[in-house]
Amino acid sequence: MNLGCSWARLEAFASCEWASKATAWVCVRVMLWAALFLWLIGNLPFPKSCEEYPEPLVTDLRGSNVVQMLTGPTLANPTGFRSDLTPKAKDRLRVAWIGGSELQGFVSSPVGRSRPGESVYLPLQAARLLEEKTGQDVEVLLYLLYRMRTFDYYLCVLDAIGNGCDAVVISCNSVWLLNEKALSSAGGLYHTILHSGYSDMRGLLQITLFDGWRNVALSVLEKYFFAMQGQRSIQDAYSEFQLFLQRPGGKPHIEAANPLKEIVTNPPIGFWARFDGVNGSRLDSSNGQDWVQFYTRYVDPDAVLAKEYVQRCISICQEQRIPLLVYLAPLSPTALQDPFFSCAITITERFASELAEPSSDTSVIVLPTIPTRELDDLEFRDFVHAKDFGSMPDYLLPSLRTLAARAKTAK
Amino acid sequence: MTDSGANPIGYFGELISLSIVVLPVYYGLPWRLARNILLAAFGAWLMFTVAPRLLLFYLAYWLFLYVAQRAVLWSQKGKASGTVFFTMLTLAISPMLLWKAFPYDSVVMFNLETHRLVGLLPGIFSAIDAVKYIILPLGLSFACFRGGDLLIQTHLGAFGPIRLHALLCYGLYPPILLVGPVAEYRELALDAPLEPFSAGDIAVGLANISMGLVKLFVFAYPLGMVGKLQGVETQTTFNAWISLVAFAWHLYLNFAGYSDLAIGCARLYGHRLQANFSFPFFKTGPAEFWQSWHMSLTRFVWRNIYIPAGGMRSKTQYLALLLATLTIAFWHALSVPMLLFGLYHAAGLMVQRRLASRRGRKAAAGGLFQGLKMVGTFLYVALSLPMLVLPLEQLPKIYFVLFGGRP
């Protein structure tokens, strides 16, 4: 076997010089065919995975009464919200449950990279318990987004109301609730609902490869299209920060006019550098290292904007006469002992207590303390993420029953 | 928890997409100056979208190189030429050395200081930079080696004074900014007469890009899901080898894929970069492997380290080999595992050279023997990869499992 000749041919092929004889018309034809091919592939009925994201969540929830409402980016539906929800069945209690990764118990795999069957979901457990105890048919619309911030809470509440929810449950994570500065970094901005509606390269490949390529081209064009149109200035188009406030299409979703300006002037970069943002192992916490722990250092009792959006969630629910439950997500007992976490928890509990102050409106329930102070059977993977929710569903049950009863009354 | 600041595929996606507009303008410009400025501006724009502070750093760096190259040229006729040259060279590669030596502190300082400097510019730049995460100095190793190579070649008389627009174009040349290759200045020929438009260049460029995409998405991406070295020490020996082999192929196809993208994009603009990979896992010895793996880096090390260190002389060839492999190793990181990596490959190269010198020239071996040598070379290289990516404390465990130990 003459390997030398074969290798020479292979290397010649790999160099692509065989294409050098192409004419301009050949190039044009190739590009046209490629564009046609990509368009055809992009329109194939792939998936379901386009509308259901992330995959383990979908598989784990299949057949249950929990519907994941936050989808991955697609061109057909760039909003980030599921648009194909079936109308609510009569006599069924539809509950919107809004929160972050604390709703997902990671049994045996790292956060965010679980495979089907490796996660448990608090809303699912709680809904089943409620059904069991009350005989009520319960459907949960799950608005789960990692590192969710209060601005996203508000959008989710609006979407939940639009989908005819009878009640809303909001899980507040002490790490993120009053932590605008950590969340307003460019990396954190990718975790907004609105930004997920943009063609962001991260996670695109998880949907379909072909959608990804379509979005690559269009995301670039979209940026320049809007800039050229003048609907957004170059400053807006290229400030990730401004994108945070705009829906695709350039129409502002809310009336906010640059309310996060103070965060721009006090940039997150200082925060990350000051708090060892590059390498979590430099942390001097008693637990060694945990990147979530140093995020917590920036929980801000004066997080005006975060508080404003929580208040907006409450106001809109009151206005729409929809019962609302706000509770603080459980954290591990070690978090309660960690100096930075305990400080963040104190700040958050103080804020939750202000929300819980007695008012004439009984449709809003606020549980202002970290459940871990009362429950000792939860198992945690780290400071924030549970492996087993233990009696957490039972802890929430009385409030959920109250919600269900008030939802019935409100109808 | 660092954000690299740029996903390479996103970077190339933007580069290719914007080339739809830039290419016709480029070929429509009948002046070298204008074309160089256009390409430099294009590269600057891409850097800006990663983070304005990164662009500021690289503009400053390549402006320094412009001055340094002039200084080296100016001093050539004087007595201090060596001093000036080594000073400039040291300064040119010092950002990379600092980063490798103090990875944590230097990255933090890099971000803080460059962000502070961006703050001296009009507010819009600071606002945009503010939302950018802490970033690693993308492409720094490649830039420093390119800058260093330029100064060395200047000192050796290969170049006269390079004009600013050509130097900035070289420094900010879009296809090679992020992931290389370590292209020589002469490969881009930015002082030469204009390259005419050729449909063949476009076709070859597109073919290279397509080939890169196939390597990345059809092969490297799925292999990357299987080939993970973290946690291999908890697997059985068989599974550990599967992971190692998959990782080796993933590493190669991923790197080669991006190289193809870079070479293809450069070809769109009429520039012929040299190949960076040539089927390295099908070579029959360590020397052949290194002659076909990350060839731009090997070429750099060959001409700037190996030859000057006496690689062509029998008495100093082994020392030169050692220095060359250690340079390649430390280019990746200054760490004990990389030292081991360099020594491992130096040993392989020395043994091969020693055996070859003893055996002398022989007739080409049969296909089966060649095949065995290929497999042996692949396994030899694959076994070194844990040293490339894992921390020191994990290495004994992984090799224990690979050689039959129980997890």
Side-chain angles (χ1 to χ4, degrees):
Chain A
M1 178 166 58
N2 189 347
L3 284 178
C5 203
S6 306
W7 282 122
R9 279 194 199 147
L10 260 179
E11 285 177 7
F13 176 75
S15 71
C16 297
E17 288 300 325
W18 43 266
S20 61
K21 294 172 187 160
T23 61
W25 174 228
V26 167
C27 296
V28 170
R29 274 199 338 252
V30 166
M31 284 189 274
L32 287 174
W33 277 111
L36 177 66
F37 174 73
L38 285 173
W39 178 79
L40 282 173
I41 292 292
N43 281 287
L44 281 177
F46 266 101
K48 301 323 172 166
S49 57
C50 290
E51 289 292 333
E52 298 172 351
Y53 170 81
E55 174 53 33
L57 185 68
V58 170
T59 307
D60 289 341
L61 298 180
R62 193 165 288 144
S64 75
N65 52 355
V66 178
V67 180
Q68 166 65 350
M69 291 302 295
L70 298 179
T71 66
T74 67
L75 285 179
N77 179 19
T79 64
F81 290 101
R82 177 186 287 276
S83 58
D84 60 348
L85 194 65
T86 53
K88 187 171 77 81
K90 205 179 168 186
D91 294 335
R92 177 175 258 200
L93 180 71
R94 180 172 271 182
V95 178
W97 204 304
I98 302 167
S101 57
E102 73 277 359
L103 295 181
Q104 187 176 2
F106 298 90
V107 176
S108 61
S109 61
V111 174
R113 291 197 288 275
S114 59
R115 289 185 286 268
E118 290 179 346
S119 298
V120 293
Y121 298 91
L122 177 60
L124 180 60
Q125 293 180 352
R128 283 183 178 153
L129 185 64
L130 185 63
E131 282 183 334
E132 184 189 309
K133 297 294 183 188
T134 63
Q136 166 86 63
D137 189 20
V138 177
E139 178 187 41
V140 174
L141 303 188
L142 179 61
Y143 294 86
L144 191 156
L145 183 70
Y146 295 167
R147 283 198 243 178
M148 189 181 277
R149 71 216 56 211
T150 58
F151 173 70
D152 295 313
Y153 288 164
Y154 180 57
L155 292 182
C156 291
V157 169
L158 294 178
D159 189 76
I161 293 170
N163 282 311
C165 281
D166 302 305
V168 175
V169 179
I170 293 178
S171 163
C172 295
N173 190 328
S174 301
V175 177
W176 303 119
L177 183 71
L178 302 177
N179 201 341
E180 291 162 357
K181 293 187 169 116
L183 292 170
S184 63
S185 66
L189 286 171
Y190 287 126
H191 288 266
T192 65
I193 292 171
L194 287 189
H195 200 277
S196 73
Y198 282 89
S199 305
D200 173 21
M201 283 311 302
R202 301 167 202 233
L204 278 178
L205 292 173
Q206 296 176 41
I207 304 171
T208 68
L209 297 178
F210 306 105
D211 256 351
W213 282 109
R214 190 171 59 181
N215 286 330
V216 165
L218 288 174
S219 71
V220 174
L221 293 174
E222 179 198 45
K223 273 199 253 187
Y224 297 104
F225 179 67
F226 280 121
M228 287 188 293
Q229 274 191 328
Q231 287 184 4
R232 287 181 295 187
S233 66
I234 293 289
Q235 175 181 356
D236 288 346
Y238 288 98
S239 168
E240 301 272 48
F241 177 70
Q242 293 290 343
L243 289 175
F244 178 61
L245 299 172
Q246 300 273 339
R247 291 205 92 163
K251 295 175 191 172
H253 185 70
I254 56 172
E255 65 282 7
N258 203 358
L260 296 178
K261 188 178 174 184
E262 71 270 19
I263 295 178
V264 175
T265 56
N266 189 359
I269 185 175
F271 157 73
W272 293 120
R274 205 161 85 235
F275 294 117
D276 297 350
V278 174
N279 184 348
S281 62
R282 286 281 297 259
L283 296 170
D284 56 349
S285 85
S286 55
N287 287 299
Q289 61 84 25
D290 190 323
W291 58 266
V292 178
Q293 187 251 21
F294 70 74
Y295 284 174
T296 320
R297 302 187 202 196
Y298 227 67
V299 173
D300 183 3
D302 297 322
V304 172
L305 195 69
K307 291 182 178 180
E308 178 189 336
Y309 280 111
V310 174
Q311 291 289 1
R312 285 190 188 202
C313 291
I314 294 174
S315 306
I316 194 86
C317 286
Q318 288 172 327
E319 204 179 294
Q320 300 291 325
R321 298 165 60 84
I322 293 175
L324 170 67
L325 166 64
V326 178
Y327 72 93
L328 299 185
L331 298 171
S332 78
T334 47
L336 295 172
Q337 290 151 21
D338 180 88
F340 298 101
F341 255 104
S342 60
C343 181
I345 291 166
T346 303
I347 292 170
T348 311
E349 286 182 326
R350 191 176 302 152
F351 172 59
S353 300
E354 289 168 8
L355 295 175
E357 276 168 9
S359 74
S360 58
D361 190 331
T362 55
S363 67
V364 178
I365 305 169
V366 178
L367 302 179
T369 56
I370 300 290
T372 328
R373 295 194 194 281
E374 299 175 35
L375 307 176
D376 58 5
D377 61 345
L378 278 71
E379 273 186 62
F380 286 89
R381 261 195 91 72
D382 52 40
F383 285 128
V384 176
H385 301 104
K387 284 161 72 168
D388 186 331
F389 288 108
S391 56
M392 186 65 191
D394 297 279
Y395 173 84
L396 292 173
L397 182 62
S399 305
L400 292 173
R401 291 180 84 145
T402 308
L403 272 192
R406 287 176 186 170
K408 235 182 199 175
T409 316
K411 280 184 192 171
Chain B
M1 268 310 297
T2 47
D3 180 349
S4 70
N7 181 334
I9 203 64
Y11 176 86
F12 279 107
E14 188 133 358
L15 194 163
I16 294 167
S17 303
L18 287 174
S19 289
I20 295 172
V21 173
V22 174
L23 265 176
V25 176
Y26 178 81
Y27 282 111
L29 291 170
W31 310 285
R32 170 56 68 193
L33 168 71
R35 287 193 182 185
N36 287 350
I37 290 174
L38 177 65
L39 282 181
F42 189 15
W45 176 252
L46 292 171
M47 277 285 127
F48 179 80
T49 57
V50 172
R53 72 186 91 109
L54 191 67
L55 172 62
L56 188 67
F57 170 78
Y58 277 117
L59 277 176
Y61 179 78
W62 288 103
L63 285 171
F64 159 75
L65 251 299
Y66 174 72
V67 171
Q69 202 245 352
R70 297 284 166 137
V72 168
L73 278 171
W74 168 80
S75 69
Q76 266 182 334
K77 293 173 188 169
K79 290 179 183 176
S81 68
T83 307
V84 171
F85 164 67
F86 278 110
T87 304
M88 292 298 142
L89 181 64
T90 304
L91 289 172
I93 63 174
S94 57
M96 180 187 68
L97 293 176
L98 280 171
W99 179 28
K100 302 297 178 187
F102 309 105
Y104 169 75
D105 293 312
S106 61
V107 169
V108 172
M109 290 309 300
F110 168 81
N111 280 272
L112 278 181
E113 289 307 314
T114 50
H115 178 66
R116 190 177 58 80
L117 291 171
V118 170
L120 300 174
L121 301 172
I124 172 179
F125 299 110
S126 187
I128 293 171
D129 196 65
V131 297
K132 299 298 183 178
Y133 212 87
I134 282 212
I135 53 170
L136 297 172
L138 301 168
L140 182 62
S141 301
F142 295 101
C144 285
F145 264 27
R146 285 194 289 137
D149 186 58
L150 188 74
L151 291 178
I152 294 171
Q153 297 299 312
T154 302
H155 182 65
L156 293 173
F159 304 123
I162 297 175
R163 292 178 187 169
L164 181 60
H165 62 84
L167 192 75
L168 283 178
C169 181
Y170 174 62
L172 298 174
Y173 189 66
I176 61 175
L177 268 181
L178 213 66
V179 289
V182 184
E184 294 179 62
Y185 179 78
R186 71 180 88 231
E187 286 182 71
L188 295 177
L190 298 170
D191 285 338
L194 290 181
E195 50 282 321
F197 173 78
S198 159
D201 281 341
I202 303 292
V204 172
L206 291 176
N208 264 309
I209 290 169
S210 305
M211 200 160 289
L213 294 174
V214 168
K215 284 181 187 170
L216 284 168
F217 291 110
V218 177
F219 296 109
Y221 184 67
L223 280 170
M225 292 194 268
V226 174
K228 295 184 193 300
L229 292 186
Q230 282 80 6
V232 162
E233 64 272 16
T234 59
Q235 298 175 4
T236 61
T237 299
F238 179 74
N239 286 342
W241 275 102
I242 295 288
S243 294
L244 184 67
V245 169
F247 176 78
W249 279 97
H250 161 75
L251 182 70
Y252 159 56
L253 289 163
N254 195 57
F255 202 171
Y258 283 120
S259 291
D260 283 345
L261 289 183
I263 291 168
C265 290
R267 190 60 179 266
L268 293 178
Y269 292 90
H271 300 123
R272 299 185 180 212
L273 297 182
Q274 297 180 73
N276 211 18
F277 290 86
S278 177
F279 300 98
F281 287 163
F282 295 95
K283 300 302 177 186
T284 53
E288 291 76 15
F289 168 79
W290 282 108
Q291 286 162 11
S292 57
W293 174 276
H294 201 176
M295 290 146 71
S296 62
L297 177 63
T298 309
R299 285 190 291 265
F300 171 90
V301 168
W302 182 267
R303 64 177 177 270
N304 294 319
I305 306 289
Y306 178 76
I307 301 285
M312 305 306 280
R313 295 192 283 271
S314 57
K315 285 185 181 174
T316 51
Q317 59 177 318
Y318 293 110
L319 176 64
L321 268 179
L322 179 66
L323 288 174
T325 48
L326 286 178
T327 301
I328 292 174
F330 290 141
W331 180 81
H332 292 85
L334 276 173
S335 63
V336 174
M338 289 317 303
L339 172 65
L340 296 174
F341 179 86
L343 292 173
Y344 175 92
H345 279 283
L349 289 166
M350 288 178 191
V351 166
Q352 182 190 17
R353 184 170 286 201
R354 189 84 179 140
L355 289 174
S357 68
R358 281 190 172 178
R359 274 188 274 133
R361 281 191 175 274
K362 283 193 170 180
L368 179 62
F369 187 59
Q370 293 282 59
L372 287 173
K373 284 168 77 175
M374 277 184 205
V375 171
T377 303
F378 170 75
L379 292 174
Y380 164 79
V381 171
L383 276 172
S384 71
L385 294 180
M387 291 180 260
L388 191 62
V389 295
L390 294 178
L392 183 64
E393 55 271 14
Q394 272 186 272
L395 293 177
K397 299 175 201 171
I398 191 170
Y399 286 117
F400 179 70
V401 168
L402 283 171
F403 288 104
R406 284 198 174 178

mmCIF file of all heavy atoms in Angstrom, chain A residues 257-272:
data_model
loop_
_atom_site.group_PDB
_atom_site.id
_atom_site.type_symbol
_atom_site.label_atom_id
_atom_site.label_comp_id
_atom_site.label_asym_id
_atom_site.label_seq_id
_atom_site.Cartn_x
_atom_site.Cartn_y
_atom_site.Cartn_z
ATOM 1 N N ALA A 257 -37.127 53.936 31.896
ATOM 2 C CA ALA A 257 -36.227 54.730 31.067
ATOM 3 C C ALA A 257 -34.867 54.751 31.719
ATOM 4 O O ALA A 257 -34.498 55.666 32.422
ATOM 5 C CB ALA A 257 -36.767 56.144 30.929
ATOM 6 N N ASN A 258 -34.112 53.728 31.495
ATOM 7 C CA ASN A 258 -32.759 53.608 32.020
ATOM 8 C C ASN A 258 -32.700 53.662 33.544
ATOM 9 O O ASN A 258 -31.950 54.435 34.114
ATOM 10 C CB ASN A 258 -31.867 54.711 31.432
ATOM 11 C CG ASN A 258 -30.407 54.313 31.475
ATOM 12 O OD1 ASN A 258 -30.072 53.262 31.963
ATOM 13 N ND2 ASN A 258 -29.545 55.176 30.982
ATOM 14 N N PRO A 259 -33.489 52.853 34.194
ATOM 15 C CA PRO A 259 -33.468 52.919 35.654
ATOM 16 C C PRO A 259 -32.220 52.322 36.271
ATOM 17 O O PRO A 259 -31.965 52.517 37.444
ATOM 18 C CB PRO A 259 -34.700 52.112 36.059
ATOM 19 C CG PRO A 259 -34.855 51.125 34.957
ATOM 20 C CD PRO A 259 -34.413 51.825 33.709
ATOM 21 N N LEU A 260 -31.478 51.566 35.515
ATOM 22 C CA LEU A 260 -30.306 50.927 36.084
ATOM 23 C C LEU A 260 -29.056 51.754 35.850
ATOM 24 O O LEU A 260 -27.949 51.252 35.898
ATOM 25 C CB LEU A 260 -30.134 49.526 35.486
ATOM 26 C CG LEU A 260 -31.271 48.533 35.805
ATOM 27 C CD1 LEU A 260 -31.008 47.204 35.127
ATOM 28 C CD2 LEU A 260 -31.403 48.324 37.299
ATOM 29 N N LYS A 261 -29.262 53.016 35.616
ATOM 30 C CA LYS A 261 -28.126 53.869 35.250
ATOM 31 C C LYS A 261 -27.053 53.853 36.321
ATOM 32 O O LYS A 261 -25.863 53.873 36.036
ATOM 33 C CB LYS A 261 -28.629 55.290 35.031
ATOM 34 C CG LYS A 261 -27.592 56.225 34.460
ATOM 35 C CD LYS A 261 -28.198 57.599 34.226
ATOM 36 C CE LYS A 261 -27.122 58.575 33.794
ATOM 37 N NZ LYS A 261 -27.655 59.923 33.664
ATOM 38 N N GLU A 262 -27.523 53.794 37.555
ATOM 39 C CA GLU A 262 -26.510 53.869 38.619
ATOM 40 C C GLU A 262 -25.607 52.654 38.608
ATOM 41 O O GLU A 262 -24.476 52.705 39.072
ATOM 42 C CB GLU A 262 -27.182 54.016 39.990
ATOM 43 C CG GLU A 262 -27.902 52.785 40.490
ATOM 44 C CD GLU A 262 -29.344 52.761 40.058
ATOM 45 O OE1 GLU A 262 -29.702 53.480 39.110
ATOM 46 O OE2 GLU A 262 -30.124 52.019 40.665
ATOM 47 N N ILE A 263 -26.084 51.568 38.041
ATOM 48 C CA ILE A 263 -25.241 50.389 37.995
ATOM 49 C C ILE A 263 -24.163 50.566 36.934
ATOM 50 O O ILE A 263 -23.056 50.075 37.058
ATOM 51 C CB ILE A 263 -26.091 49.143 37.723
ATOM 52 C CG1 ILE A 263 -27.026 48.929 38.907
ATOM 53 C CG2 ILE A 263 -25.213 47.926 37.502
ATOM 54 C CD1 ILE A 263 -27.938 47.770 38.749
ATOM 55 N N VAL A 264 -24.497 51.268 35.895
ATOM 56 C CA VAL A 264 -23.497 51.514 34.855
ATOM 57 C C VAL A 264 -22.372 52.365 35.414
ATOM 58 O O VAL A 264 -21.204 52.158 35.132
ATOM 59 C CB VAL A 264 -24.134 52.218 33.650
ATOM 60 C CG1 VAL A 264 -23.075 52.579 32.623
ATOM 61 C CG2 VAL A 264 -25.170 51.312 33.023
ATOM 62 N N THR A 265 -22.726 53.317 36.232
ATOM 63 C CA THR A 265 -21.695 54.215 36.753
ATOM 64 C C THR A 265 -20.914 53.567 37.884
ATOM 65 O O THR A 265 -19.845 54.041 38.236
ATOM 66 C CB THR A 265 -22.313 55.528 37.256
ATOM 67 O OG1 THR A 265 -23.300 55.211 38.240
ATOM 68 C CG2 THR A 265 -22.969 56.273 36.113
ATOM 69 N N ASN A 266 -21.449 52.534 38.441
ATOM 70 C CA ASN A 266 -20.710 51.789 39.466
ATOM 71 C C ASN A 266 -20.514 50.383 38.935
ATOM 72 O O ASN A 266 -21.233 49.461 39.285
ATOM 73 C CB ASN A 266 -21.521 51.784 40.767
ATOM 74 C CG ASN A 266 -20.692 51.223 41.916
ATOM 75 O OD1 ASN A 266 -19.550 50.826 41.730
ATOM 76 N ND2 ASN A 266 -21.275 51.190 43.087
ATOM 77 N N PRO A 267 -19.561 50.218 38.076
ATOM 78 C CA PRO A 267 -19.545 49.026 37.234
ATOM 79 C C PRO A 267 -19.295 47.729 37.974
ATOM 80 O O PRO A 267 -18.571 47.692 38.951
ATOM 81 C CB PRO A 267 -18.394 49.307 36.266
ATOM 82 C CG PRO A 267 -17.518 50.260 36.983
ATOM 83 C CD PRO A 267 -18.426 51.087 37.822
ATOM 84 N N PRO A 268 -19.873 46.691 37.466
ATOM 85 C CA PRO A 268 -19.682 45.374 38.073
ATOM 86 C C PRO A 268 -18.230 44.918 38.041
ATOM 87 O O PRO A 268 -17.835 44.096 38.837
ATOM 88 C CB PRO A 268 -20.531 44.448 37.210
ATOM 89 C CG PRO A 268 -21.469 45.314 36.499
ATOM 90 C CD PRO A 268 -20.814 46.638 36.351
ATOM 91 N N ILE A 269 -17.458 45.471 37.137
ATOM 92 C CA ILE A 269 -16.086 44.978 37.025
ATOM 93 C C ILE A 269 -15.341 45.179 38.337
ATOM 94 O O ILE A 269 -14.538 44.352 38.751
ATOM 95 C CB ILE A 269 -15.354 45.656 35.860
ATOM 96 C CG1 ILE A 269 -13.969 45.036 35.692
ATOM 97 C CG2 ILE A 269 -15.247 47.149 36.070
ATOM 98 C CD1 ILE A 269 -13.234 45.557 34.498
ATOM 99 N N GLY A 270 -15.650 46.266 38.989
ATOM 100 C CA GLY A 270 -14.998 46.488 40.279
ATOM 101 C C GLY A 270 -15.418 45.446 41.286
ATOM 102 O O GLY A 270 -14.625 44.955 42.085
ATOM 103 N N PHE A 271 -16.663 45.108 41.230
ATOM 104 C CA PHE A 271 -17.185 44.089 42.130
ATOM 105 C C PHE A 271 -16.470 42.765 41.882
ATOM 106 O O PHE A 271 -15.990 42.123 42.806
ATOM 107 C CB PHE A 271 -18.687 43.929 41.898
ATOM 108 C CG PHE A 271 -19.221 42.602 42.341
ATOM 109 C CD1 PHE A 271 -19.357 42.310 43.684
ATOM 110 C CD2 PHE A 271 -19.587 41.649 41.423
ATOM 111 C CE1 PHE A 271 -19.849 41.090 44.107
ATOM 112 C CE2 PHE A 271 -20.086 40.427 41.838
ATOM 113 C CZ PHE A 271 -20.223 40.152 43.185
ATOM 114 N N TRP A 272 -16.399 42.371 40.669
ATOM 115 C CA TRP A 272 -15.804 41.073 40.378
ATOM 116 C C TRP A 272 -14.343 41.024 40.779
ATOM 117 O O TRP A 272 -13.850 40.029 41.296
ATOM 118 C CB TRP A 272 -15.925 40.730 38.891
ATOM 119 C CG TRP A 272 -17.333 40.506 38.462
ATOM 120 C CD1 TRP A 272 -18.020 41.205 37.512
ATOM 121 C CD2 TRP A 272 -18.250 39.554 38.979
ATOM 122 N NE1 TRP A 272 -19.302 40.728 37.413
ATOM 123 C CE2 TRP A 272 -19.475 39.727 38.288
ATOM 124 C CE3 TRP A 272 -18.162 38.559 39.951
ATOM 125 C CZ2 TRP A 272 -20.591 38.949 38.542
ATOM 126 C CZ3 TRP A 272 -19.279 37.785 40.203
ATOM 127 C CH2 TRP A 272 -20.479 37.986 39.493
#
